[in-house]
Amino acid sequence: DDHEGIVEELRDQAGVRAAALFVEEQSGWKASCRSTSETIDVSRLCKQFGGGGHKQSAGCPLRHWPQAKVEFLAALEAIVTA
C-alpha cells in the first residue's frame, strides 16, 4: 500500500499523457497504468500482458522480468505516440 496514489501523481504532471508504475510484489512484478484521455486505452495494453482494467486505469502482472518491462514500455510508447 506504500505505492498507492503514486501512478496518479505521475499521470497528473504537466505534459504527461500516460504513466506506468512498476511494483515488485511477492508473486513478481506488476504494472499499474493511468492515462489522461480516453484516446489512450491502457486497458488494451494491460490485456496484452494478462491484465485488464478500464480505459484510463489498468494493471497487469509482468512475468519474465526484466524483458517484460522492456516490451511493456515499448508497447506503452506505441499507444501514446499513435
Side-chain angles (χ1 to χ4, degrees):
D1 290 338
D2 292 341
H3 57 82
E4 199 66 35
I6 294 174
V7 72
E8 287 85 3
E9 290 289 328
L10 295 170
R11 177 206 52 209
D12 293 342
Q13 299 304 305
V16 172
R17 298 180 62 210
L21 177 69
F22 302 109
V23 178
E24 186 175 18
E25 299 180 333
Q26 279 187 325
S27 60
W29 287 85
K30 175 186 172 188
S32 294
C33 298
R34 304 293 183 272
S35 70
T36 57
S37 79
E38 290 199 25
T39 60
I40 300 173
D41 186 348
V42 293
S43 70
R44 286 184 56 199
L45 168 65
C46 288
K47 284 178 186 174
Q48 294 174 23
F49 290 85
H54 305 281
K55 270 188 163 184
Q56 293 179 273
S57 177
C60 62
L62 291 177
R63 295 173 182 84
H64 312 295
W65 188 265
Q67 183 58 35
K69 177 183 76 168
V70 173
E71 294 169 5
F72 185 89
L73 288 174
L76 178 60
E77 182 177 9
I79 68 166
V80 170
T81 59

